[in-house]
Amino acid sequence: MTSTGTGTRREQTRQKLFVAAQQLIAEQGFSSTTVDEIAERAGVAKGTVYYNFKNKNDLFEELLRHGVGLLTATLREASAAHPDAPVEQLDAMIRAGLAFIEQYRAFAQLLLSELWRTNRTWQQTLTLLREDAVAVVRASLDAAVASGELREDLDTGLAAPAVFGMVLVVALDWLTFQPERTLDDVHAVLSTMVRGRLTPAP
């Protein structure tokens, strides 16, 4: 087998382990989830887990890197679709964030539960990952302030994590308590709220 084929197969195995781990941890918490359970849920041998990761902590830290990396790339792609319109970038990122969480609900639940835990070994890693994602939102906010599309007194250092957190929490609330709503419904409300609160008064 070629090295490319081996690499592809290993990546597929890691993806299975990521999915299994995030589902189990979202269901029963990190401490209660065992490597045996992750292997069983993923349909692989226990040794396969240790072949790909040093231990459960390492698996979880890599899962966070993978998931937040995907989210950050999704936000960047949405922003890049509107290169000369910062407010439209922000709106596109809100929609893209909602769609991401709809697709990766278990990971979003996991991320929300871990963001403010300060006693985890991966907290520093998660802090840096969160800063990368929030920085994408802040860049659009800064550009919108500079262009006059948003209020000149807007504190983008606080507004960016507020928007990021709002999307994360509202998306999970929607999927859990109001699943009959559509993505369009939720996006429209958040878009109206953000535009109404941040744009300058006429």
Side-chain angles (χ1 to χ4, degrees), residues 181-197:
R181 302 279 192 177
T182 67
L183 174 62
D184 287 339
D185 291 337
V186 183
H187 171 237
V189 170
L190 293 191
S191 178
T192 299
M193 289 174 59
V194 169
R195 289 175 184 267
R197 295 299 299 174

Side-chain angles (χ1 to χ4, degrees), residues 61-82:
E61 185 165 340
E62 288 302 312
L63 167 60
L64 290 172
R65 288 183 185 277
H66 175 71
V68 180
L70 280 178
L71 174 56
T72 303
T74 297
L75 297 178
R76 284 200 180 103
E77 183 178 355
S79 175
H82 304 276

Side-chain angles (χ1 to χ4, degrees), residues 5-120:
T6 302
T8 300
R9 188 166 69 176
R10 185 177 185 193
E11 185 57 33
Q12 289 173 343
T13 300
R14 287 168 66 92
Q15 291 293 326
K16 286 183 182 179
L17 292 169
F18 284 154
V19 171
Q22 68 186 3
Q23 289 174 345
L24 285 164
I25 295 170
E27 290 168 9
Q28 60 193 34
F30 177 79
S31 298
S32 299
T33 299
T34 67
V35 171
D36 286 319
E37 289 174 321
I38 294 171
E40 182 180 358
R41 178 71 66 94
V44 302
K46 182 178 179 179
T48 301
V49 180
Y50 290 113
Y51 175 74
N52 285 276
F53 305 99
K54 290 183 293 186
N55 49 45
K56 187 175 72 168
N57 281 358
D58 183 49
L59 188 162
F60 189 64
E61 185 165 340
E62 288 302 312
L63 167 60
L64 290 172
R65 288 183 185 277
H66 175 71
V68 180
L70 280 178
L71 174 56
T72 303
T74 297
L75 297 178
R76 284 200 180 103
E77 183 178 355
S79 175
H82 304 276
D84 300 315
V87 171
E88 294 307 316
Q89 290 175 6
L90 187 63
D91 192 62
M93 284 190 283
I94 290 172
R95 184 178 184 88
L98 292 170
F100 178 92
I101 295 166
E102 183 179 28
Q103 182 176 358
Y104 299 105
R105 178 176 173 178
F107 175 75
Q109 290 174 316
L110 195 56
L111 178 61
L112 185 62
S113 70
E114 292 297 323
L115 270 175
W116 295 282
R117 294 183 189 272
T118 59
N119 61 338
R120 303 295 205 193

Side-chain angles (χ1 to χ4, degrees), residues 145-193:
V145 170
S147 68
E149 292 183 80
L150 296 185
R151 295 165 39 183
E152 63 179 10
D153 63 341
L154 179 65
D155 185 339
T156 59
L158 288 176
V163 172
F164 180 80
M166 175 186 70
V167 171
L168 182 58
V169 172
V170 170
L172 288 174
D173 185 90
W174 154 45
L175 295 169
T176 303
F177 299 111
Q178 302 186 70
E180 72 280 3
R181 302 279 192 177
T182 67
L183 174 62
D184 287 339
D185 291 337
V186 183
H187 171 237
V189 170
L190 293 191
S191 178
T192 299
M193 289 174 59

